Amino acid sequence: MSWLSVDLQFFAGEKTEKATPRKRQEVRKKGQVAKSADVTAAFLMLIVFLVLSFSSGMWRDAITRLFRQSFQHYFFMDVTIDSVQLIFVDLLQQLALLVGPIFLAAIAAALFANFVQVGFLFTTEPLQMKLSKLDPIQGFKRIFSLRALVELLKSILKVLFVGVVTFSILWMHIDDILSLSHKSVGAIAATLGRLTIQMGLVASVALLFLSLFDYLYQRYDFEKNIRMSKQDIKDEYKKTEGDPLIKSRIKQKQREMAMRRMMQEVPKADVVITNPTHFAVALKYDEQQADAPIVVAKGADYMAQKIKDIAKKNDVMIVENRPLARALYDQTDVGMVIPEAFFKAVAEILAYVYKTKNKL
């Protein structure tokens, strides 16, 4: 059995267990999540080309108006500091109005793609300066790691896939391309713009398709990296729930404190009901505190004997009633008002006690 225990200890450090919710929460706070940058890039590219596709007419009119204004108005203006500044500001405003919708669409697409993958997450942990990132040995390990090889193969696959798709678009429109030399400048621009948007949309869909596989790989790699060993899970449990030895000591201290408080209440009791050796229940009746007697202390065996000793030292009357003592011990807790079923029996005992002590 000795060699078997050593073997189990050897494998205890292997990270074979799925990450616990606490571990997932900790790595998420550090910005470590299962996310594919390819999904974000492909979706952003698709949205941008869709916006270009639907706003192509607006772009054509805006560019035509910009060229017409430049050659009909700006061309005849005197070259001064004020005129140059005026032209620059005017052109900048027109370009901002032209590019602004695409820029906003790109930002919205990037935010949406990231939200779909990881939900809402804001952390500055990845931006913090860490000297470990400057370690050349770790840098070489990252460069020549399996992950780097996978990223290289992904890049080659993306280039080949997008290249084939875009070339197919060009090949299907080869007649339009060969006839460009016989068209006007406007027709050439329209044809090139249409082909560019078509290639962009098809390439975006192709990249989005490939990015789904990348997302699955990123999830697999993430789950693999956050795996835990059996010892890690035990250590986390100790941190979360506390060391069992310490918890037992704390509970013991709490029991001792509760016992001391309970014993301090025995001298204030009106009567201690016993069976007489195994159980003892101390009762106190205060009409201002409750409508019925309250259990201020109870115990069995050693504790019962201790309650009786304290009662004797403080002239608290002890009454023997075997069934009542056992029933009160089983059905009540310290600080609890006695159940209604015991009112008559306890009232008779208290009357006897008060009579004995001349309290009536």
Side-chain angles (χ1 to χ4, degrees):
M1 293 298 292
S2 59
W3 67 270
L4 180 59
S5 62
V6 172
D7 191 48
L8 291 175
Q9 289 175 3
F10 174 77
F11 285 105
E14 293 291 328
K15 297 186 180 297
T16 57
E17 307 300 315
K18 288 185 177 181
T20 60
R22 180 183 176 88
K23 176 67 177 292
R24 293 177 184 277
Q25 186 177 7
E26 289 178 352
V27 298
R28 183 177 175 84
K29 288 180 179 179
K30 296 178 181 179
Q32 300 176 15
V33 290
K35 183 184 73 170
S36 171
D38 291 351
V39 172
T40 304
F43 187 73
L44 187 151
M45 184 176 172
L46 178 62
I47 294 299
V48 168
F49 276 104
L50 282 174
V51 173
L52 285 173
S53 176
F54 287 108
S55 62
S56 57
M58 184 192 71
W59 270 72
R60 182 188 65 245
D61 296 340
I63 293 175
T64 302
R65 184 170 60 252
L66 183 62
F67 274 100
R68 184 182 294 113
Q69 187 175 3
S70 298
F71 286 107
Q72 292 180 355
H73 181 64
Y74 297 149
F75 189 77
F76 297 101
M77 292 180 64
D78 295 331
V79 180
T80 62
I81 296 177
D82 294 336
S83 64
V84 171
Q85 184 177 2
L86 178 64
I87 293 172
F88 177 76
V89 172
D90 193 18
L91 290 175
L92 193 62
Q93 289 177 349
Q94 294 187 49
L95 290 175
L97 293 175
L98 194 61
V99 180
I102 298 177
F103 182 72
L104 293 176
I107 294 177
L111 292 175
F112 178 77
N114 280 285
F115 179 79
V116 168
Q117 293 185 80
V118 301
F120 181 77
L121 174 63
F122 178 78
T123 177
T124 59
E125 185 74 19
L127 303 178
Q128 294 181 4
M129 181 64 181
K130 296 181 180 179
L131 296 178
S132 59
K133 295 181 179 180
L134 304 177
D135 189 351
I137 298 177
Q138 296 296 328
F140 279 114
K141 288 183 178 179
R142 286 193 295 268
I143 293 174
F144 298 102
S145 63
L146 177 62
R147 185 178 182 86
L149 178 61
V150 172
E151 294 296 330
L152 176 61
L153 293 176
K154 280 168 44 185
S155 300
I156 295 174
L157 182 62
K158 285 188 290 185
V159 170
L160 291 176
F161 202 63
V162 173
V164 170
V165 170
T166 53
F167 179 77
S168 300
I169 298 295
L170 294 175
W171 185 257
M172 287 187 296
H173 296 84
I174 189 66
D175 294 335
D176 295 335
I177 296 173
L178 293 177
S179 63
L180 287 177
S181 58
H182 303 288
K183 295 182 178 180
S184 63
V185 175
I188 292 174
T191 302
L192 293 178
R194 186 179 70 257
L195 289 176
T196 301
I197 291 176
Q198 288 181 5
M199 288 188 294
L201 288 173
V202 175
S204 300
V205 173
L207 285 176
L208 191 60
F209 174 74
L210 289 177
S211 66
L212 296 178
F213 294 98
D214 179 65
Y215 176 73
L216 295 177
Y217 168 74
Q218 296 296 339
R219 284 196 65 87
Y220 164 77
D221 189 61
F222 173 74
E223 293 293 335
K224 180 181 177 182
N225 289 332
I226 65 172
R227 282 179 185 171
M228 304 172 67
S229 65
K230 296 184 186 303
Q231 186 61 42
D232 292 337
I233 295 177
K234 290 180 180 178
D235 293 341
E236 182 185 281
Y237 177 79
K238 288 182 179 179
K239 290 180 181 178
T240 306
E241 302 296 332
D243 192 320
L245 182 59
I246 296 177
K247 288 180 66 177
S248 64
R249 290 179 179 176
I250 292 175
K251 288 182 178 179
Q252 183 180 355
K253 290 291 184 181
Q254 291 174 342
R255 285 194 297 268
E256 291 176 355
M257 293 174 62
M259 190 184 303
R260 283 197 295 269
R261 287 195 299 268
M262 185 176 67
M263 293 305 175
Q264 290 173 358
E265 294 296 322
V266 174
K268 303 176 184 178
D270 293 319
V271 64
V272 173
I273 302 174
T274 68
N275 80 330
T277 56
H278 295 292
F279 300 100
V281 180
L283 301 178
K284 178 179 176 59
Y285 176 60
D286 186 351
E287 59 183 5
Q288 295 180 353
Q289 185 177 357
D291 295 333
I294 297 174
V295 178
V296 295
K298 72 172 189 175
D301 299 329
Y302 171 75
M303 287 297 301
Q305 186 60 44
K306 196 168 183 180
I307 290 173
K308 289 188 288 184
D309 292 341
I310 296 176
K312 291 176 181 179
K313 291 179 181 179
N314 292 273
D315 296 328
V316 177
M317 196 166 183
I318 301 174
V319 176
E320 179 181 339
N321 189 319
R322 294 171 181 266
L324 181 60
R326 179 60 185 266
L328 287 172
Y329 181 85
D330 291 337
Q331 300 181 35
T332 61
D333 291 320
V334 176
M336 175 180 172
V337 175
I338 64 171
E340 188 176 355
F342 303 121
F343 281 3
K344 183 178 180 181
V346 172
E348 292 176 355
I349 292 175
L350 288 177
Y352 169 73
V353 171
Y354 294 150
K355 184 177 181 181
T356 303
K357 291 187 175 183
N358 296 321
K359 292 186 176 180
L360 293 178

